[in-house]
Amino acid sequence: MKGFFSNLKGDTFGGLTAGIVALPLALAFGVSSGLGPSAGLYGAIFISFFAALFGGTNTQISGPTAPMTAVSMLVIAGLIGANNGDVNKALPTILTVFLLAGLIQIGLGAIGIGKYIRYIPYPVVSGFMTAIGVMILLTQLLPGLGYYPKEDAEYVEQFKPEAEEVILDKILKDEAGEGILVLEDFKETIKRAENISEEEIYLEAVTLANSKASGVTGALKSLPRAIKSINYLELMLCLVTIVIIYGFKKITRAIPSTLVALLAVSGVAYGFGLQYRPIEEIPSGFPIPNIAIITDFNLGALVPYFFTALSLSFLGAIDSLLTSVVADNMTKTKHNPNKELMGQGIGNSIAAIFGGIPGAGATIRTVVNINAGGKTKLSGMIAGVLLLIVLLALGPIASQIPAAVLAGILITVGIGVMDYKGLKAIPSMPWIEVVIMLIVLVLSVFWDLVYAVGIGLVLASLMFMKKMGDVTAKDSKIESLQGLENNSREMLWKDEVDFPKELKEEIFIKHLNGPIFFGSTSELQQLATQIPETAVHVILRMDRVPYMDQSGVYTLEEIILGLEQKGIKTYIVGIQKQPLYLAKSIDIVPDLVANDYVFNDFDSCIAYLRKVVKDIQ
């Protein structure tokens, strides 16, 4: 405990500063997600506190982030749509998905996945981050212009015919469930249809209109209508917020410009009694657990979203561990990746139970914490406590914040989260990496974030395997020693320089460099055909083969079997532990290559061959 409070002053100031920075972002991400500002605030409170307490990065400040909110937004919109626009009905399933994502993160940390996250290719990460920025930017254009599709009566009117179809379909499904639907007699159906009110049709049309205008595609389709009906007060509040955020940074960075913009614009709008649109009301009092997660648990509704929960957990892991690396570089410390994953999972799980949106380690907030003096886990916990105090003491006041102000904040977040480093490097990047980055970017924005990343990973993996196969084929040589010597003595390995001249026509050496895996098997087979028919003995030099997969070992078996059928003896030199284990597992050793023909080094192999090989003139 002494170490826990060893930097009390620095941690307190760091935690308070980070909490202040987190406040406007938490509210904005909550609104953007579709669950409201309170969900963002709940997420920031619980994730910040518990991820700090149980995590593996002392200075990490966690909470809702742009990437996590973008994916959460898709989950929330999909489940609300599946529940006919009823947020309260969809909420238990939404929070269960978030809870599942947190539990998966705990599992990932427990089995030690954390150390492998760093192997995700940069083009995939770059395309994804830029896509997140584009998505946030485009989806905030409508609220920035003060346009809300569900409040546009003319727009909603277009969906009334479809709304009637949806309501009728519900009636038929209800009747089928009750066992009273009879094709020959629709009296009950007609009776129920006649009781449908205009209000019911209108509410269903509002739900459909809101659904059609959601997401990037919906926002772009609705943009012309938004431009025709701009609310200039909302637009001005949004633009002033953006100007203050960027302008105040030029004056000083000691005070977070986002907070300055939030307080200044909200204060003026409220103080002068402007007729602006406020954010949703933030409930006062301590957050209470959502027991409907348990009482209304529906496995069937959850199953289609399991892959999404898995994606959320991996995204949170990547987001957090990248921030951990930044923290390590600034503090000259080393984080524990698996412990960090478990801490993030615990934080996300608890946040979900209390109705918060998921989050991860936040780079900007972590940097602010470190610069303000934070050094231990106490700083992240203090940030969470500060946000809780704000909720309990200032909830009603925070509910008066203009929605346009949060739209302005999110627009700056969208602009800031894009990977400009990756975009600037496009002219100098290999074309295949540019293609992967753009594919991930476009698919993420216009199709599906989760599948886009999956496709990007597959393409990047195939690209890597192709490169490794090319390198392996290029470095692997099959030549007689006489041929090697004639080309360049440097091509000989050091211990082959003094090879007995009288045996150079009878013994051929195959140099294998690098891993032998399925990406290099075709080249390996081609190289095997280059061994001249005059060969009597072939030495496979495997000193530089650190790894061999199943495809590689079967290809090796085919090569050795082909040589044996030609009457050529095969010898293996310097085979390492993992390739030897595989060779023995399918009986290459000792069935095709006797144990006596497997040598630890080249000298002992040659010493043996001197005794058994005759010089053929």
Side-chain angles (χ1 to χ4, degrees):
M1 291 296 289
K2 183 179 179 182
F4 197 73
F5 295 102
S6 60
N7 185 48
L8 183 59
K9 182 179 178 181
D11 288 335
T12 301
F13 192 63
L16 291 174
T17 308
I20 290 169
V21 173
L23 176 61
L25 295 174
L27 295 171
F29 286 138
V31 171
S32 176
S33 73
L35 287 186
S38 57
L41 201 51
Y42 295 163
I45 291 168
F46 292 106
I47 299 170
S48 179
F49 187 89
F50 289 102
L53 179 61
F54 296 105
T57 312
N58 288 341
T59 53
Q60 183 103 293
I61 303 293
S62 303
T65 62
M68 293 294 280
T69 303
V71 177
S72 301
M73 182 173 58
L74 300 177
V75 176
I76 293 164
L79 282 167
I80 290 176
N83 286 273
N84 306 314
D86 191 334
V87 178
N88 293 324
K89 190 176 178 182
L91 190 58
T93 307
I94 291 170
L95 296 181
T96 305
V97 172
F98 295 161
L99 173 61
L100 179 60
L103 295 175
I104 292 173
Q105 275 188 325
I106 296 173
L108 294 176
I111 62 177
I113 292 295
K115 60 187 176 183
Y116 298 107
I117 297 294
R118 65 180 182 270
Y119 295 114
I120 293 182
Y122 182 79
V124 176
V125 175
S126 178
F128 178 78
M129 293 305 294
T130 301
I132 293 296
V134 172
M135 289 175 67
I136 292 175
L137 191 61
L138 293 177
T139 54
Q140 292 308 307
L141 289 178
L142 299 188
L145 294 169
Y147 178 74
Y148 295 85
K150 64 181 181 181
E151 297 175 6
D152 184 344
E154 185 181 341
Y155 180 65
V156 171
E157 191 72 25
Q158 300 175 16
F159 293 92
K160 278 192 173 182
E162 188 178 344
E164 292 174 358
E165 292 178 19
V166 171
I167 293 172
L168 182 59
D169 184 57
K170 288 179 190 175
I171 292 173
L172 294 173
K173 286 181 178 177
D174 289 342
E175 289 181 352
E178 295 168 14
I180 60 173
L181 178 61
V182 181
L183 292 177
E184 292 81 8
D185 187 2
F186 278 97
K187 289 182 180 179
E188 181 63 27
T189 305
I190 294 170
K191 181 180 177 182
R192 293 188 183 188
E194 288 175 345
N195 291 328
I196 299 172
S197 66
E198 280 296 318
E199 185 180 1
E200 285 181 86
I201 296 172
Y202 184 79
L203 289 174
E204 186 63 45
V206 167
T207 300
L208 290 170
N210 202 42
S211 176
K212 292 290 184 181
S214 65
V216 171
T217 306
L220 289 175
K221 288 180 178 178
S222 302
L223 192 56
R225 296 188 67 88
I227 293 173
K228 288 179 182 178
S229 53
I230 295 174
N231 184 318
Y232 287 99
L233 173 61
E234 299 289 318
L235 176 60
M236 284 302 298
L237 292 175
C238 178
L239 292 177
V240 171
T241 300
I242 294 171
V243 170
I244 292 175
I245 289 174
Y246 287 123
F248 195 79
K249 287 179 181 178
K250 296 181 178 180
I251 300 172
T252 178
R253 290 181 178 267
I255 303 173
S257 63
T258 305
L259 182 68
V260 173
L262 177 72
L263 295 177
V265 181
S266 300
V268 170
Y270 183 77
F272 283 89
L274 302 180
Q275 298 301 306
Y276 63 86
R277 179 192 182 95
I279 61 174
E280 295 177 29
E281 184 178 352
I282 299 174
S284 57
F286 195 90
I288 57 174
N290 192 312
I291 59 172
I293 291 178
I294 299 171
T295 57
D296 295 347
F297 179 76
N298 185 341
L299 183 61
L302 183 63
V303 169
Y305 290 91
F306 176 81
F307 184 64
T308 305
L310 184 65
S311 304
L312 259 176
S313 65
F314 270 102
L315 176 59
I318 296 166
D319 210 359
S320 300
L321 294 181
L322 287 175
T323 302
S324 295
V325 171
V326 173
D328 284 352
N329 291 335
M330 292 183 68
T331 59
K332 308 304 178 187
T333 57
K334 186 172 178 60
H335 71 281
N336 183 326
N338 294 318
K339 190 176 180 183
E340 181 61 35
L341 281 190
M342 294 183 73
Q344 293 292 335
I346 292 170
N348 278 315
S349 299
I350 295 174
I353 292 171
F354 284 90
I357 59 174
T363 305
I364 294 174
R365 280 160 266 178
T366 299
V367 170
V368 166
N369 175 43
I370 295 169
N371 289 337
K375 289 184 180 179
T376 76
K377 296 181 176 184
L378 187 61
S379 58
M381 297 166 67
I382 288 173
V385 171
L386 172 67
L387 293 171
L388 178 60
I389 293 171
V390 170
L391 171 68
L392 297 176
L394 303 174
I397 297 174
S399 298
Q400 299 302 315
I401 294 171
V405 170
L406 295 189
I409 291 172
L410 283 169
I411 286 171
T412 63
V413 169
I415 294 171
V417 81
M418 295 184 198
D419 182 31
Y420 297 102
K421 179 182 176 182
L423 293 173
K424 288 178 182 176
I426 285 179
S428 59
M429 287 168 61
W431 70 269
I432 186 65
E433 292 189 9
V434 175
V435 169
I436 291 172
M437 186 179 78
L438 294 178
I439 285 175
V440 173
L441 169 58
V442 173
L443 293 182
S444 295
V445 172
F446 294 104
W447 182 41
D448 188 284
L449 275 167
V450 175
Y451 290 117
V453 171
I455 291 170
L457 286 173
V458 170
L459 291 175
S461 299
L462 291 173
M463 177 192 73
F464 171 76
M465 289 183 286
K466 175 66 169 62
K467 284 183 177 178
M468 289 299 296
D470 291 345
V471 169
T472 304
K474 181 180 178 182
D475 291 342
S476 186
K477 305 291 181 185
I478 300 182
E479 296 276 0
S480 70
L481 281 179
Q482 185 66 45
L484 287 173
E485 188 177 52
N486 289 339
N487 289 329
S488 169
R489 292 186 63 87
E490 292 180 359
M491 295 178 70
L492 295 172
W493 286 5
K494 190 174 180 180
D495 53 5
E496 297 168 355
V497 175
D498 297 326
F499 187 84
K501 293 181 179 179
E502 66 274 11
L503 300 180
K504 286 182 179 178
E505 293 183 1
E506 290 77 24
I507 298 175
F508 288 78
I509 294 177
K510 176 181 167 99
H511 291 159
L512 295 177
N513 288 332
I516 301 175
F517 66 109
F518 64 91
S520 60
T521 53
S522 60
E523 288 84 358
L524 197 62
Q525 289 168 330
Q526 186 178 0
L527 287 171
T529 62
Q530 298 171 7
I531 299 176
E533 294 181 1
T534 57
V536 181
H537 304 272
V538 170
I539 299 174
L540 299 181
R541 298 219 54 180
M542 301 183 66
D543 314 53
R544 301 177 187 178
V545 178
Y547 172 79
M548 186 162 59
D549 72 357
Q550 196 167 11
S551 299
V553 78
Y554 284 137
T555 302
L556 194 63
E557 181 186 35
E558 290 175 13
I559 291 171
I560 296 172
L561 189 60
L563 294 174
E564 186 181 72
Q565 290 170 349
K566 294 178 182 179
I568 300 172
K569 296 289 184 183
T570 303
Y571 305 85
I572 297 176
V573 173
I575 187 169
Q576 298 184 34
K577 187 175 181 180
Q578 189 271 346
L580 179 60
Y581 173 80
L582 278 185
K584 287 183 176 180
S585 68
I586 66 166
D587 297 324
I588 289 178
V589 178
D591 289 3
L592 293 179
V593 180
N595 285 316
D596 292 342
Y597 289 3
V598 179
F599 299 91
N600 292 328
D601 55 73
F602 186 70
D603 290 341
S604 58
C605 178
I606 294 305
Y608 175 82
L609 289 174
R610 281 178 181 273
K611 300 174 184 177
V612 298
V613 178
K614 294 180 179 179
D615 181 22
I616 302 174
Q617 300 297 330

